Amino acid sequence: MTQPLKISVVGGGPGGLYFAILMKKADPRHAITVYERNRTDDTFGFGVVFSDETLDNIQNADPETFDAIAKNFVYWGEIDIRVRGRVIRSDGHGFCGLERRTLLMLLQERARALGVELKFQTEIPDVASLPDSDLIVAADGINSAIRAKFADHFKPSFDWRKNKFAWCGTTKSFPAFTFDFRENEHGIWILGAYQYKPGMSTLVPECDEETWLRAGLDKADEAQTVAYLERTFADLLDGHPVLSNRSVWRNFPMIKNERWYRDNIVLIGDALHTAHYSIGSGTKLAMEDSIALAGSFAAKQSVADALAHYETTRREEVEKTQHAADVSLVWFEKPRRFWKLEPMQLAFSLLSRSKQITYDNLRRRDPEFGAEVDRWWAGKVRSELNFDVPTNNPLPPMFTPFRIGNMTVQNRVVVSPMNMYSAEPGNIPGDFHLVHLGKMAQGGAGLVFAEMTSVSEDARITPGCPGIYTPEQVKAWTRICNFVHANSEAKFCLQIGHAGRKGSTRLGWEGMDQPLIEGNWPIVSASPLRYRKDSALPTEISRAGMTAVRESFVRAARHAHQAGFDMIELHMAHGYLLSSFISPLTNQRSDGYGGSLDNRMRYPLEVFDAVREAWPADKPMSVRISASDWVPGRGLDIDDAIEITRMLKARGLDIIDVSAGQTSIEARPVYGRMFQTPFSDAIRSEVQMPTITVGNITTADQVNTIVAAGRADLVALARPHLVNPNFTLAASAYYGCDIQKWPDPYLAGKDQAFRLTERDNAEMAQLREQARAPITQRRAAFLASRG
C-alpha cells in the first residue's frame, strides 16, 4: 500500500489495537483511530493464553510488542490431567498466560507511542458516522453491531453449543495448565485452570446442562456460583478463594461468516469467528487476524484488493482452527463417553481430541509420557485381551494384536475395501485381484478386505465388479484366499453387498455413479427414488424381491466360507440396497418396512439374521454402516447409528465398520484428517462394541493415535495402501518394531529399511530440535528470570 489511509477501528480489544499498531508501524502516515465503548481499563475475564506458535507470530510481526508481553507473561510447558485421584503430567507443550488487563494496557501504550488515536467510552452506533474512513475494521466482538447491521451481506451463522461454562479466577497459582475431572451428586465436572500472573489463575468450570440444572445453578447469582465452585473443588483450591468478574454461566457460540468484508468494512476477531476456548483463546485468533490483515495491506495496492487477499489467504487457517475447536468441544459435551476410560486413556484422549496433537507428536514433546502411554497400553492388552505382549519394551498400539470373535489379527491395520472395477468377463476376480490383494496381504496389515462383491448379477455396481454367485467366481476367490493365507499372516474378509439404486453404472474412472450408456440392467431400491438427477429410476423392491435378495446374500456367505475367507462383512452403507432401507432420505415406504427406525431396520436385520445363521459360528461377521447421512437437520445422525449398532449387536454382530455419507447427493460432509473417527468413537463408547474406523486416515501416527485414545479398535486405510501396499511394513521400520512379520523373501529389504529409517529419524529429530530452538531459549529465559 503506497497511499496513506484513514482507518477507523471499532473495538479496542487486543485484535483492534494490534491491527492499529501494525498498520501505523508499517506507514506512520496512516491516520488511525480506535473507538472503544468501555473505559480505558475496563476488562472482563481474567487471563489470556498464547501458544508458542502465536508468540512467534507476534514476535515476527512486532518485536516491540512481543518484548513488552514477554516481560509480563507466565510461561509453562506442562499440562496436568487430574482424574480419580491421579495427576498425569504431559510436558513440552509451550504456552504463556497473561493478564487480560495488562495486555490491553501494553497494547494501548504501544499504540499511543506510534501515534494511534484512542477514543474510549465512544459508541459507534452506525458506520455512517465514519463517512471519511478509507477502511473500517469491525473488531467489536461477539455481539458485533456492524456485523448485525449488514447481516444480509455477511451472512453470519450461530451455533450455540450445549455445555455451560463460566469465567472465574483464583489466587492459587497452578504450576501447569490443569484439567480437573470429577463427579459429584449432580454430575461430571470439568475444570480448566492456568496461571496468568504470579498469585493469580483463571478457572473455567464446565458441565453439561443437565448437571448444571441439577446443581441449581440456573437460579444462582455470582456469589452462589462462587460458593458452589469453592465447595466442589475445595481440595484443588487448597483454601484459595474463587473470584468472579461477570462470572455468569453461558453457552459458547460458534460463529462463522459467509463473507468477511463489505466494501471498505472488514470483520476481525470474535465479530468474524469464534473458536472454543479449549484449544486456545479468542484473543490469539484476533491478533493473528490482525497480522494477516496488515500483511494483506503490505501486499496489495488498494483497499479492495487487500481485503480480498485477507479473506482468501486467512480463511483456510481460520476454518482449520474452527474445525479443530469444534472437534475439541464435542469431546467435552459428552462427558459420559470419556468418563468410562481409564485415567491414562482419558488423558491421552483429551490431549489428542482436536487432532492437533497426535501419538508421535506427544512422543517428541515428552518422550517419558509417550513411553508411559505405550506401557499402559501393553498392560491393557495383556489384562483385557490376554495377549502376551511385552511391557518392558512395549509395542506401539498399532502393532498389538486384537481379537474379533474367535479370530485374532496380528495388528490394528486394515486394508479397506476398495472398488477396483477390474473383474474379468463373468465378473470373475482374476490376475489383477490376485496381485492387488496378494500384495496388500504381504504388506503386513492385520486384516485385508476384498472390495464390495456382488451377491447376484443384478446386484453389481458396474460391469467390472466381481461377484460370488457362480462356481467360476468361487473358484477364483479360492485361488486368492489360498495365496493370502500361504504368503502372509493377514486375515481375509469378503465384503458382500447389493448396489441397489447405485447399480448399473459406469466404471469409476469413466464416470462415477453415472448410468451406463448401454447394457443397463434393472435396478431396485427401498423406494423409487433416483440417486442423481441423471441416474436411472429404480423400482421399489417387492416382498418377493426382498426374499430373493436375502437368499442371494445367504448364498454369498456360504460361497465365501467355501472359498476360505476368514470373515465377511455385510454392506449396509453408502446408499446401496440395504442402506436405502435404513436412511429416511431413501426409504419412503408406507408398508411395515418404512417409517420408524425400527421398521426401516426390519429388512436389513432380516438379511443379517439369515447370513449370520449361514455363516459359521466360529467365524466373525462385520457390518458397514453410514453413521450419518451428512444432511443437516435430516436423515441419519449419530444417535440413529448408535441404535442401529445396538440392534446388530443383539443379533450376534462381532464388529461394526463405521463409515458415513454417500447415501444422498445432498450430503455436506465436513472433511479433514480422520474426519469420520468421531462416529466410531461415539458408537464404541455408547454400545461397548468393537469398531473399525475409516475416512482420510493416512499415517501410522494417526493409526496409533486412534487406537490408543480408544476411538476404534481397528483402523482402515484405503488410498494410502494404493500408494504403498507395504504401509504396515514401512511403519514397523519407522517405529523399530521387529515383532511385525515380514515375508521371508523381503527380509533383506527389512534390514535395509530399519537402518535407513533409523538414520532418517535421527536427522529429522535434529531438524525439529533446531526449529524449536527459539522456543526452548524463550522458556529457559523465562525460568531464569523467575529464579
Side-chain angles (χ1 to χ4, degrees), residues 93-109:
H93 296 281
F95 296 97
C96 83
L98 181 68
E99 184 181 36
R100 181 175 174 82
R101 182 181 180 279
T102 298
L103 176 62
L104 286 172
M105 296 297 102
L106 293 174
L107 294 174
Q108 289 172 19
E109 182 179 351

Side-chain angles (χ1 to χ4, degrees), residues 15 17 35 55 65 71 145 203 213 259 302 408 428 432 453 455 457 473 480 490 602 607 683 712 736 784:
L17 287 168
Y35 301 91
L55 289 174
T65 297
K71 292 175 183 176
L203 299 178
L213 290 171
R259 296 191 180 101
S302 71
T408 297
I428 296 171
F432 175 88
T453 300
V455 297
E457 187 174 11
Q473 294 165 347
I480 297 170
R602 280 182 65 195
V607 173
I683 290 170

Side-chain angles (χ1 to χ4, degrees), residues 519-556:
N520 289 279
W521 55 88
I523 57 174
V524 294
S525 190
S527 298
L529 301 170
R530 302 177 196 271
Y531 179 62
R532 298 162 39 127
K533 289 182 179 179
D534 60 349
S535 295
L537 180 67
T539 300
E540 180 173 290
I541 189 170
S542 65
R543 180 57 258 190
M546 291 161 65
T547 301
V549 168
R550 180 195 69 205
E551 292 309 305
S552 68
F553 272 98
V554 169
R555 178 184 61 199

Side-chain angles (χ1 to χ4, degrees), residues 671-714:
Y671 292 111
R673 293 171 297 156
M674 305 174 277
F675 72 110
Q676 294 178 149
T677 300
F679 298 124
S680 166
D681 192 358
I683 290 170
R684 187 178 184 276
S685 175
E686 294 284 347
V687 189
Q688 299 296 290
M689 182 79 187
T691 65
I692 305 172
T693 190
V694 302
N696 201 21
I697 300 164
T698 59
T699 67
D701 177 26
Q702 292 169 0
V703 176
N704 280 311
T705 302
I706 291 166
V707 173
R711 297 188 173 103
D713 298 282
L714 300 177

Side-chain angles (χ1 to χ4, degrees), residues 6 118 156 209 306 313 355 387 452 473 526 565 595 622-623 705:
K6 181 176 182 181
L118 305 180
E209 187 171 21
T313 56
K355 301 182 289 188
F387 285 117
M452 187 181 104
Q473 294 165 347
F565 283 97
S622 172
V623 168
T705 302

